[in-house]
Amino acid sequence: MEETMRDLDGFWEFAFAEDDDRLPEVYDGIASVPGCFDVMPGLWDKRGVGFYRTHIELEADKKFQLIAGGVAHKAKVYLDRQLLTEHYGAFTAFSVDLPPVKNGKHELAISADNRFDGLNSPLHMQHFDWYGYGGIIRPIRLKIWQQAIIERVQP
């Protein structure tokens, strides 16, 4: 049983919205993954949602798991504009199994929200001395396999 990992780091299409967390129709920029969107020209010290999009080739006879090393601070992952998962915590990795797909090119989008939210993130407030930057800050990988795999056995 062989599994492979595909590195998805590189330049992704990018869009930014200060007050809207819905997936955009138009991505008018480019951003580095991994990277922080609020160090890009015009976005310095901005609060909002950075939307990253790339296209990946997937095969119907394989299984896929997306592994995100870290997204600051709130993340949503979409495949073909369908929400797959949400995650909170910039410095913790997370993963999501992709649903069965047809052969071909698919749209993968990840949103990174760095807005202050006292309920979800009481340690990241505007008046604190910690800067809560935004973006896909750690590597993105795609695990690929054909049959079931056992990742962990617990007694």
Side-chain angles (χ1 to χ4, degrees):
M1 175 75 244
E2 185 177 326
E3 71 179 45
T4 59
M5 294 289 259
R6 187 184 307 166
D7 180 359
L8 300 180
D9 294 348
F11 293 104
W12 290 36
E13 296 173 83
F14 182 80
F16 180 79
E18 289 187 49
D19 297 318
D20 192 352
D21 62 358
R22 292 175 296 173
L23 278 179
E25 295 297 325
V26 175
Y27 289 73
D28 56 0
I30 299 292
S32 177
V33 172
C36 301
F37 67 72
D38 44 355
V39 298
M40 295 167 49
L43 295 179
W44 174 250
D45 202 29
K46 290 279 189 180
R47 297 280 159 210
V49 184
F51 297 94
Y52 297 78
R53 178 174 72 179
T54 192
H55 292 86
I56 54 177
E57 289 286 335
L58 301 175
E59 301 85 31
D61 64 337
K62 295 186 180 172
K63 304 203 181 336
F64 303 92
Q65 182 181 62
L66 184 77
I67 302 167
V71 178
H73 275 278
K74 292 179 271 187
K76 292 182 182 180
V77 177
Y78 303 83
L79 184 67
D80 297 328
R81 302 189 68 80
Q82 298 300 310
L83 179 65
L84 299 182
T85 194
E86 298 181 45
H87 178 77
Y88 184 83
F91 308 108
T92 55
F94 65 96
S95 62
V96 60
D97 292 336
L98 303 188
V101 296
K102 294 181 179 178
N103 287 332
K105 188 181 280 192
H106 295 268
E107 177 186 277
L108 175 64
I110 300 176
S111 68
D113 187 340
N114 74 340
R115 293 176 289 184
F116 292 120
D117 179 350
L119 295 175
N120 291 319
S121 182
L123 297 177
H124 297 104
M125 300 298 291
Q126 195 163 8
H127 58 280
F128 287 6
D129 64 351
W130 173 266
Y131 184 76
Y133 50 86
I136 300 175
I137 60 170
R138 294 189 177 153
I140 301 290
R141 307 280 184 263
L142 188 64
K143 184 191 298 186
I144 306 163
W145 70 95
Q146 281 195 278
Q147 299 173 3
I149 60 172
I150 298 172
E151 289 187 343
R152 178 177 42 177
V153 175
Q154 293 180 318

